[in-house]
Amino acid sequence: NAGVMQNPRHLVRRRGQEARLRCSPMKGHSHVYWYRQLPEEGLKFMVYLQKENIIDESGMPKERFSAEFPKEGPSILRIQQVVRGDSAAYFCASSPQGGGRDEQYFGPGTRLTVT
Amino acid sequence: KNEVEQSPQNLTAQEGEFITINCSYSVGISALHWLQQHPGGGIVSLFMLSSGKKKHGRLIATINIQEKHSSLHITASHPRDSAVYICAVARGGADGLTFGKGTHLIIQP
């Protein structure tokens, strides 16, 4: 059973470009979480999605960031018009049922560098 | 004040020592997680607790719900245990985790 997959592992974008980060949850998991880890800072929750639904986006910046988890295919975190402050490691995690008492399985992360 | 506080922030110990990392939280939770992150690496879930104590190999995690406190212990520490250990809580009513800042552990041979 493959773990949580994220790609790309490393992404370099120039200021103003778009970044698309992909996350494929573990087989059988329908709950996906995105977290961001800024340099020298702790992890922060961004968004929680189930298939085709955004459940909680309270941690998402109000502008330029969006997330989706379509019926088919991976979850996508999209950052438009990237700025240097977006440089960070972005992790996704998946769980089978959600609800807070569920163990979350983390992907290897995508390291985004904005030049 | 952060909702999840860890101590110590940094810890250096000799191989074989018994290690304790502490986590205190100030919000209601449905579960507490201990995670491990190696430098430049991914995140591994070590434990998820809602009460009592769990043990896996040389790792032991305990939680006291009344005192809002958890500890992670490593027995017979080894250099390969060197990593950042992160405490995270799942708050009742919310599903995303809230994280502590992590404890940087170095085990010297």
Side-chain angles (χ1 to χ4, degrees), chain B:
Chain B
K1 190 178 188 298
N2 293 329
E3 293 176 336
V4 182
E5 296 277 358
Q6 284 186 240
S7 64
Q9 190 174 345
N10 298 285
L11 178 57
T12 299
Q14 295 298 120
E15 184 173 357
E17 286 189 39
F18 181 81
I19 303 298
T20 296
I21 299 170
N22 295 299
C23 175
S24 297
Y25 52 92
S26 57
V27 294
I29 68 169
S30 55
L32 182 142
H33 299 245
W34 281 103
L35 310 168
Q36 181 193 56
Q37 185 176 28
H38 285 280
I43 298 167
V44 174
S45 177
L46 299 174
F47 294 104
M48 187 184 70
L49 295 160
S50 54
S51 64
K53 176 180 175 178
K54 286 190 176 180
K55 184 175 189 292
H56 185 255
R58 294 181 295 107
L59 301 177
I60 303 165
T62 64
I63 188 168
N64 185 319
I65 296 293
Q66 286 72 31
E67 295 188 2
K68 295 187 174 177
H69 181 270
S70 175
S71 293
L72 176 68
H73 306 285
I74 305 174
T75 61
S77 59
H78 190 275
R80 64 174 175 266
D81 297 326
S82 299
V84 177
Y85 291 84
I86 303 168
C87 172
V89 300
R91 292 186 293 160
D95 293 281
L97 298 177
T98 301
F99 299 85
K101 293 191 174 180
T103 294
H104 291 73
L105 174 65
I106 297 172
I107 303 296
Q108 295 177 333

